[in-house]
Amino acid sequence: MSVPTANGMPMLGLGTWQNDDHDECADSVETALNMGYRHIDTAQAYRNEDAVGEGIAAADVDRDDIFLATKIWISNLSHDDVLETAQQSLDRLGTDYLDLLYIHWPAREYNPEETLAAFDQLYDEGKIDRVGVSNFEPEHIDEAAELLDAPIFANQVEIHPFLPQTELRSYAAENDVELVAYSPLARTEIFSDPTLGAIADDHGVSEAQVALTWLREHGITAIPKATGEAHIQDNWESRTLELSDEEIERIDTIERRERQVHPDFAPASW
């Protein structure tokens, strides 16, 4: 069974945050691609783009069949730095283009006019197929949309059963912006939740599969980090799981609310 897509983006991908052991990262990317994954997510800040590129090169999958995304870090968001470091990312990844390039955070060197003009240039030059933002609140997206010629394709944010992002989901749906969930397993916190555990037991699957299916049922793409083959496989199996409306509602009404990622440069509106 193939993974559903959201405007051409596979809705289940491999995240590589903290996968900073070169050989392990390359092996995990190769393993995931050979298993059937077609969406790989990395970032300049992860310091593993070269390993990701090595894994892609080693896999028995054509580059054009892979949806590859990376992110420009907050210290590289001046106009010229965007252009220079985006090319460096391309070189490290061993590719001529990116399917999606994100602004990692609206912080530090982020200047909407300068940063977004550089993204438009990369888009016009064919070096990126889609423009993305990450950790943007609606007001940031509104501002960016006014300045960009290219459409904003996706916003990558933390989403999981303890941070369902209901308002942001409504905004994204109204403005044709895809949502991509990082930390979709709440950094392993989902494994201690009784509601998710009960639903997982009923289906004979893991809590991870339940959380990933919950995201997919809400139209959200997930990029869970995994390194070992067993975890990569378990997440992959979520594509065949179906949850009932009642089960979705039970997850929706989990009372626990908890953000896992909140650096000091995060938007003040969080």
Side-chain angles (χ1 to χ4, degrees):
M1 179 178 179
S2 61
V3 173
T5 59
N7 289 318
M9 175 176 61
M11 293 184 70
L12 179 63
L14 179 73
T16 61
W17 176 76
Q18 285 192 333
N19 196 348
D20 51 11
D21 179 285
H22 181 95
D23 291 343
E24 185 176 61
C25 182
D27 287 347
S28 65
V29 170
E30 180 183 3
T31 295
L33 289 171
N34 287 338
M35 191 178 292
Y37 284 77
R38 292 296 180 265
H39 181 171
I40 305 294
D41 181 272
T42 185
Q44 292 175 347
Y46 302 169
R47 301 184 183 277
N48 62 10
E49 289 175 323
D50 54 345
V52 170
E54 185 176 306
I56 290 171
D60 190 25
V61 179
D62 289 341
R63 166 65 185 94
D64 289 346
D65 293 331
I66 300 168
F67 189 97
L68 178 60
T70 193
K71 310 173 195 73
I72 302 288
W73 185 236
I74 58 177
S75 59
N76 298 329
L77 290 172
S78 70
H79 180 276
D80 290 348
D81 283 348
V82 169
L83 299 178
E84 181 179 351
T85 66
Q87 184 59 55
Q88 291 169 357
S89 289
L90 287 167
D91 293 342
R92 285 190 292 266
L93 289 162
T95 185
D96 295 328
Y97 71 97
L98 294 162
D99 296 272
L100 178 58
L101 181 65
Y102 295 98
I103 297 167
H104 207 150
W105 293 83
R108 300 275 168 85
E109 300 304 315
Y110 178 62
N111 177 295
E113 290 83 2
E114 285 194 17
T115 303
L116 296 166
F119 270 69
D120 267 330
Q121 182 174 333
L122 291 169
Y123 180 83
D124 290 341
E125 291 174 351
K127 292 183 178 180
I128 62 175
D129 285 350
R130 299 167 182 83
V131 172
V133 297
S134 185
N135 300 296
F136 274 45
E137 293 289 277
E139 61 267 26
H140 302 118
I141 298 176
D142 286 341
E143 179 182 42
E146 291 264 338
L147 294 167
L148 275 167
D149 292 329
I152 296 174
F153 176 76
N155 185 18
Q156 185 177 133
V157 295
E158 180 182 347
I159 313 179
H160 46 71
F162 310 141
L163 190 69
Q165 299 275 25
T166 307
E167 293 181 6
L168 190 59
R169 280 159 43 196
S170 296
Y171 172 89
E174 292 168 3
N175 290 274
D176 296 322
V177 175
E178 297 295 336
L179 285 180
V180 178
Y182 69 73
S183 297
L185 310 183
R187 306 242 171 128
T188 74
E189 289 295 315
I190 62 157
F191 294 101
S192 62
D193 182 77
T195 298
L196 295 170
I199 294 171
D201 287 345
D202 288 343
H203 289 273
V205 300
S206 67
E207 292 90 344
Q209 290 191 40
V210 172
L212 295 173
T213 302
W214 173 80
L215 286 163
R216 187 184 71 240
E217 294 286 352
H218 280 304
I220 300 166
T221 296
I223 48 166
K225 174 212 169 184
T227 52
E229 183 174 357
H231 286 155
I232 295 171
Q233 179 73 46
D234 186 64
N235 293 339
W236 181 241
E237 294 302 325
S238 69
R239 75 199 191 283
T240 64
L241 178 62
E242 294 183 2
L243 299 177
S244 68
D245 291 343
E246 184 270 339
E247 289 169 326
I248 294 292
E249 184 177 359
R250 283 163 61 192
I251 300 171
D252 287 341
T253 54
I254 290 173
E255 292 185 359
R256 180 177 177 181
R257 291 291 176 261
E258 186 178 285
R259 185 184 289 277
Q260 301 294 319
V261 180
H262 194 12
D264 58 7
F265 51 78
S269 54
W270 279 16

